[in-house]
Amino acid sequence: MRAAVGCLLLAVAGLILPARRTPPSAAAPAAVFPLQLSHNRRYLVDQDGTPFLIVADSPQALMSRLTEKDADSYFADREAHGFNTLGWINVACAGVNYPENRFAATPDGIRPFTAFLAGGSDYTSYDLTKPNEAYFVRLDHMLQLAAKHHFAVFLDPAETNGWLPTLRRNGMKAAYEYGEFLGRRYSHFDNLLWISGNDFRTWRAGENGALTAAAEEGIRPLVHTWDERNDDALVQAVARGIRAAAPRQLQTLELEPLSTSSFDDPAWIPLIDLNGTYTYGPTYLQMLHSYNQKPTAPTFLMEARYEFERTGDPLDEGAPSLLRKQAYWTMLSGGTGQFYGNGYIWPFKDGWRKNLDTDGVLQIQYWKDFFLALPWQNLIPDQKREVLVSGSGPPCTLQTRVSECATALAASSSDGSVAVVYIPANRTIQVNMAVLSHASEASWFDTSNGNRKRIGTFSNTGIREFTPPGKNHSGDEDWVLLLRSKTSD
């Protein structure tokens, strides 16, 4: 539910990007694509079997705002900062988020389709069976540039904030054929994944769907989203066409704000592979909902509050401290990574070049470095309070401002090699040391600058109290307690 931003043609192409801040650490080795599900279906692995932590930026409007030279520079910047994923890029940009781009054109005016349906004169009446080769050559080049910079790419074939009117006018057969076209054209891109939807409000949950169950769990008020229109089937037709032509490429779905999971729409479960989480509330609530859904699938934070945006209900600012909460809660709730968002970058609005290397990006780097140094893929959320036995703080709901939620969260590995506790506000906590397999080294991790403070070595027996060391480097109170068995790597 991003603010509406016009996709004006860029007057000047290929401007030099500002100097980048030095990343806190060297980038992880590039993944060997394509990605696939792990043996336990909890996370992604590359072709070498290496767990893949999703570290994504969201350049949604790239096709309508950037030249190839701009895109190459942007990709280089994000690669230097340790991002490994682009989540997501719209195949074409039109509709509420791009009100001035009536034809979903590139910056130099190339349109994605060559014909209109009878009586039409803008993107809502494009004939989806008449793709423009020149436009898709441009998209080819963008994906090739992304591969050069070692990115996995989530591509949205028909972003539903804009393209539902077009799908309705074209109908089921044309929607499927469009999906087949995309699948055939891009089936050879090993780094490509697909994401349908985006603020998709007219999906069909069903009376006994996951939203009803979540209301019974107290996560959210009971809501009904089903609609008389056949939008769910139309969006699925595109995804089914892609799957028919590119069966090995993974797919997922974004539903609607303020909080949903891909699997909340049961009709999509047979078609998608990843259970994306979308929330403007405290991320752990919806992430745990996703983690516990069946069938088991990797879940990740698909969209939450963005840096430089004031969004949600209630409204909240995407400050660096809030971005940290979202990120650490996500990983301790069974997440496999996240899509970071930036209010200047996703629409590439004026001033985006000056807002590339931000404090929020640094926070994501520290988060990434912290978890890549651990067997993050083995962390199991502490849902039964077996790790953090006291000090979790007051409970929150999806209507609680993230900036005001101070719930501490924990996770540990089943082999007892590591336990992690994220504490948003200064308080003494009690940890069950018996979750560790051996005596453990304890340390505090400063989430705001990536520094560590050693606490000491402790036996793996009994309950032990830990109190954070006060304000962190940024003057906030959030810290991570890390406990590692002395026999762990």
Side-chain angles (χ1 to χ4, degrees):
M1 194 165 56
R2 311 261 70 91
V5 179
C7 281
L8 299 175
L9 298 182
L10 291 180
V12 180
L15 296 182
I16 299 172
L17 297 178
R20 295 188 293 268
R21 300 184 191 184
T22 303
S25 69
V32 182
F33 297 124
L35 301 175
Q36 57 192 5
L37 301 190
S38 63
H39 67 282
N40 65 356
R41 302 183 66 84
R42 280 295 183 195
Y43 54 94
L44 294 170
V45 297
D46 72 0
Q47 290 299 297
D48 288 338
T50 303
F52 185 84
L53 177 68
I54 297 171
V55 186
D57 194 13
S58 296
Q60 298 168 30
L62 181 139
M63 283 297 292
S64 68
R65 291 286 284 174
L66 299 194
T67 66
E68 292 179 32
K69 185 176 181 180
D70 287 328
D72 196 24
S73 295
Y74 163 72
F75 293 158
D77 177 275
R78 284 326 195 213
E79 183 182 24
H81 282 290
F83 288 91
N84 61 13
T85 305
L86 303 174
W88 66 90
I89 296 172
N90 292 324
V91 166
C93 301
V96 63
N97 287 338
Y98 314 99
E100 305 205 18
N101 196 355
R102 292 181 58 240
F103 301 106
T106 63
D108 51 344
I110 305 173
R111 300 179 182 182
F113 301 95
T114 61
F116 298 101
L117 300 172
S121 60
D122 68 3
Y123 84 94
T124 63
S125 297
Y126 272 140
D127 184 341
L128 295 179
T129 67
K130 300 293 193 306
N132 182 358
E133 177 66 14
Y135 184 93
F136 287 95
V137 166
R138 176 69 56 82
L139 180 55
D140 298 344
H141 293 171
M142 294 299 196
L143 295 177
Q144 289 161 1
L145 287 171
K148 182 185 80 170
H149 291 285
H150 310 106
F151 285 114
V153 178
F154 283 81
L155 198 60
D156 193 330
E159 183 267 316
T160 49
N161 240 346
W163 291 90
L164 282 175
T166 319
L167 290 174
R168 292 171 191 148
R169 286 215 62 191
N170 276 264
M172 206 74 68
K173 182 174 183 293
Y176 183 87
E177 289 178 4
Y178 170 59
E180 272 192 317
F181 161 76
L182 291 174
R184 286 194 304 271
R185 188 176 190 105
Y186 296 111
S187 62
H188 66 286
F189 279 85
D190 287 342
N191 63 325
L192 188 59
L193 305 90
W194 297 92
I195 176 172
S196 297
N198 179 30
D199 294 352
F200 186 18
R201 293 171 174 80
T202 51
W203 58 285
R204 301 181 65 85
E207 290 285 353
N208 297 315
L211 290 183
T212 303
E216 293 171 352
E217 296 169 8
I219 293 177
R220 59 159 55 80
L222 180 61
V223 295
H224 300 283
T225 67
W226 48 90
D227 193 281
E228 291 303 317
R229 288 175 296 203
N230 205 25
D231 290 349
D232 213 22
L234 283 167
V235 179
Q236 273 200 42
V238 178
R240 286 190 294 105
I242 293 170
R243 177 55 53 88
R248 71 190 178 105
Q249 290 177 336
L250 303 178
Q251 297 199 37
T252 189
L253 167 73
E254 181 181 273
L255 294 175
E256 65 176 312
L258 296 167
S259 282
T260 46
S261 302
S262 306
F263 282 12
D264 285 352
D265 186 340
W268 278 85
I269 292 176
L271 182 58
I272 56 180
D273 310 282
L274 311 177
N275 191 5
T277 296
Y278 184 9
T279 183
Y280 288 149
T283 55
Y284 69 90
L285 292 168
Q286 190 69 32
M287 284 295 305
L288 287 171
H289 171 73
S290 301
Y291 180 83
N292 291 324
Q293 285 182 300
K294 300 299 180 184
T296 298
T299 184
F300 63 101
L301 187 60
M302 178 183 293
E303 186 170 350
R305 296 181 188 272
Y306 283 4
E307 191 173 16
F308 302 122
E309 287 193 347
R310 182 173 171 81
T311 53
D313 182 15
L315 291 171
D316 217 346
E317 298 282 355
S321 58
L322 181 146
L323 298 176
R324 294 198 299 268
K325 285 185 183 181
Q326 293 181 160
Y328 289 91
W329 278 334
T330 290
M331 294 304 294
L332 301 186
S333 303
T336 63
Q338 65 164 332
F339 291 1
Y340 155 84
N342 179 316
Y344 284 92
I345 302 305
W346 76 262
F348 291 101
K349 69 181 182 181
D350 293 345
W352 69 267
R353 291 174 177 81
K354 296 179 181 178
N355 289 280
L356 269 175
D357 305 333
T358 65
D359 288 338
V361 168
L362 286 176
Q363 307 308 300
I364 299 303
Q365 290 179 253
Y366 300 136
W367 163 86
K368 177 260 302 181
D369 290 343
F370 176 81
F371 282 103
L372 284 181
L374 302 176
W376 61 266
Q377 71 277 6
N378 297 330
L379 290 175
I380 299 171
D382 183 31
Q383 298 187 77
K384 296 181 179 180
R385 301 293 184 189
E386 294 173 342
V387 179
L388 181 60
V389 296
S390 177
S392 61
C396 301
T397 71
L398 286 173
Q399 287 70 50
T400 305
R401 283 188 174 87
V402 176
S403 60
E404 296 174 356
C405 181
T407 299
L409 220 61
S412 62
S413 59
S414 59
D415 64 0
S417 63
V418 63
V420 182
V421 186
Y422 175 64
I423 310 169
N426 202 322
R427 69 172 72 94
T428 297
I429 61 170
Q430 292 184 329
V431 175
N432 175 18
M433 302 300 290
V435 300
L436 282 305
S437 60
H438 297 81
S440 65
E441 293 281 354
S443 60
W444 290 110
F445 177 77
D446 186 336
T447 59
S448 68
N449 68 356
N451 288 343
R452 298 173 187 264
K453 297 178 181 289
R454 186 177 181 277
I455 304 171
T457 302
F458 303 96
S459 69
N460 62 327
T461 58
I463 306 298
R464 180 167 292 275
E465 290 189 346
F466 294 92
T467 303
K471 302 284 188 182
N472 61 28
H473 179 75
S474 66
D476 300 310
E477 295 184 351
D478 58 318
W479 292 83
V480 172
L481 174 66
L482 174 61
L483 299 167
R484 300 200 70 169
S485 169
K486 293 188 71 174
T487 63
S488 64
D489 295 332

